[in-house]
Amino acid sequence: MFQPKFKIQMKKLVLLSFMALAIITTSKAQNEIDALLAAGVKNAERFANDYLAPGTDGLMHSMNANWFNTADVKPLGGFEISIVANASTIKDDHQSFLMNIAEYNSDPDQDFLVTFSDASASKSVSTALGENNPDIDMVITYDDPILGQQQETITLPNGIGSETSNLLPTAFIQGAIGLSSGIELKARFVPKIDTDEVDFSMYGAGLQIEFTKWLPADKVLPVAISGLVAYTHLDGSYDLTESSGISGSNQRLENDTNTWLLQLIASTKLPVINFYGGLGFISGKSESDLLGSYTISSGPLLSETITDPFSVSSKVSAVRGTIGTKLKLGFFRLNAEYHLSEFNAFSVGLNFGFR
């Protein structure tokens, strides 16, 4: 059943998810993405999945940068503390998707009609990383039992557009300590964020093994070769109770993201400036759930409460190439690197420690 006159304002869905992911902490406007519930839960889920996937995919690439800055692992007791900033680059094809209106009228039980305001069969519309310029309106036509045929117009949401200079950033604190037999243990985290609206945490662990440490000529080799396996977990919750404007309870958006990185690394072994590179594989899944109860009014006679409306997810499975350089000045190190993959990314790290 269609729910008419449902024009509820809320913060951008991209803001909600990315605040939960500690990526974006400000917004310039609000939109009506929750109003898509008026076009049916299946349609809202279909749109949200296409809209959000490029953002979560880019996040998974960004949060896996700078796991290493050399293939030469630390000796027993050697350690390094790092402050790392990453950013995935947003390409043009990440900023929009083709919305086919026929898919939004495919449910045989649907008793309303979804169209674009200009009657187009399909349009290229903004993802969470793009912008609709000009705005794109979707019209829902339905029969009211009293008023007859009615129409509701919903403006499709914009994404972050050019607000972040086509970059998708992450940042965290990382530590590494050398164990015996050419093994180095790594860990990274973001200090926990827990406010009235946002609850967020991110952590990861990695193990790097240098194969050249097992060779008799290790001390005289000009290069080091190692392998890395790393896991990263991110979860966040954003309380929608105050911002959704919809009657209900326990309204929130939750995200759970898990990734794995497998990487082969090679680097030089020079006193001051070194160069490193590698070939790796990223695998991950991000799940976002719109939870709670939402009571949608359809006039003075009818209403409907929707509980836990939908869940959307995206997966990445991509090869990644890495090139980088590292400058060592005593206890202080500085590194910069670039990754080539589905989402290209660059990263810089400020490192302190000793070998």
Side-chain angles (χ1 to χ4, degrees):
M1 178 183 297
F2 173 72
Q3 316 298 331
K5 298 182 180 179
F6 182 69
K7 299 273 289 181
I8 306 298
Q9 294 286 328
M10 70 180 284
K11 295 181 180 179
K12 291 182 179 181
L13 181 61
V14 64
L15 169 66
L16 300 178
S17 59
F18 278 68
M19 280 193 71
L21 307 178
I23 295 178
I24 296 174
T25 56
T26 60
S27 80
K28 66 179 180 64
Q30 296 180 331
N31 65 40
E32 303 168 356
I33 188 148
D34 58 338
L36 287 167
L37 287 172
V41 173
K42 290 183 179 179
N43 284 338
E45 181 177 10
R46 177 181 290 110
F47 182 89
N49 197 70
D50 290 336
Y51 176 82
L52 190 58
T56 52
D57 289 356
L59 167 72
M60 286 187 274
H61 282 267
S62 179
M63 62 195 273
N64 273 285
N66 220 327
W67 263 112
F68 57 91
N69 52 42
T70 181
D72 186 16
V73 304
K74 297 165 183 58
L76 179 63
F79 74 91
E80 185 175 76
I81 303 297
S82 305
I83 301 172
V84 176
N86 305 327
S88 293
T89 59
I90 301 170
K91 302 175 183 177
D92 290 344
D93 58 357
H94 299 147
Q95 299 183 34
S96 63
F97 70 94
L98 185 65
M99 183 176 174
N100 186 347
I101 208 68
E103 296 176 352
Y104 289 75
N105 296 304
S106 60
D107 186 349
D109 297 326
Q110 183 171 301
D111 56 1
F112 55 90
L113 180 68
V114 179
T115 61
F116 285 118
S117 60
D118 63 0
S120 297
S122 62
K123 277 184 179 292
S124 180
V125 303
S126 171
T127 69
L129 303 179
E131 183 178 14
N132 293 322
N133 188 15
D135 287 343
I136 298 176
D137 292 333
M138 188 171 70
V139 179
I140 305 171
T141 304
Y142 62 98
D143 288 323
D144 185 276
I146 296 178
L147 302 177
Q149 188 176 85
Q150 299 290 307
Q151 288 188 332
E152 183 80 9
T153 300
I154 297 173
T155 300
L156 295 181
N158 285 301
I160 58 176
S162 59
E163 294 176 29
T164 59
S165 302
N166 288 334
L167 299 176
L168 199 55
T170 55
F172 44 82
I173 298 171
Q174 181 165 301
I177 185 168
L179 305 178
S180 61
S181 303
I183 299 174
E184 182 174 309
L185 183 65
K186 301 172 182 286
R188 57 173 44 175
F189 74 100
V190 173
K192 185 175 178 61
I193 298 172
D194 190 359
T195 69
D196 290 341
E197 292 184 327
V198 177
D199 184 4
F200 164 81
S201 64
M202 172 179 153
Y203 58 83
L207 190 68
Q208 184 173 337
I209 301 175
E210 183 185 344
F211 309 126
T212 46
K213 280 285 193 288
W214 303 341
L215 301 177
D218 167 56
K219 299 298 183 182
V220 297
L221 287 175
V223 297
I225 298 174
S226 63
L228 169 76
V229 57
Y231 167 78
T232 308
H233 171 79
L234 180 152
D235 61 72
S237 177
Y238 191 95
D239 188 341
L240 306 179
T241 305
E242 298 298 326
S243 60
S244 75
I246 309 172
S247 298
S249 62
N250 203 23
Q251 298 173 355
R252 65 199 187 278
L253 179 73
E254 293 188 352
N255 177 273
D256 184 88
T257 300
N258 297 279
T259 65
W260 286 94
L261 172 67
L262 301 175
Q263 188 89 29
L264 185 64
I265 312 160
S267 72
T268 58
K269 296 166 60 176
L270 302 174
V272 179
I273 298 178
N274 282 281
F275 302 91
Y276 60 92
L279 185 65
F281 181 79
I282 295 175
S283 176
K285 183 176 182 180
S286 181
E287 298 178 288
S288 299
D289 304 314
L290 185 62
L291 302 175
S293 64
Y294 301 78
T295 302
I296 306 172
S297 174
S298 59
L301 301 178
L302 298 171
S303 66
E304 182 175 344
T305 298
I306 301 172
T307 302
D308 298 344
F310 58 77
S311 299
V312 296
S313 65
S314 66
K315 294 181 179 180
V316 296
S317 181
V319 175
R320 183 184 78 171
T322 301
I323 55 173
T325 185
K326 180 179 180 180
L327 173 66
K328 296 193 298 183
L329 298 172
F331 295 109
F332 170 80
R333 297 96 186 260
L334 180 68
N335 77 288
E337 62 187 36
Y338 191 78
H339 303 277
L340 296 170
S341 190
E342 179 185 353
F343 280 80
N344 296 338
F346 63 88
S347 177
V348 294
L350 185 62
N351 315 289
F352 305 90
F354 70 92
R355 297 184 58 83

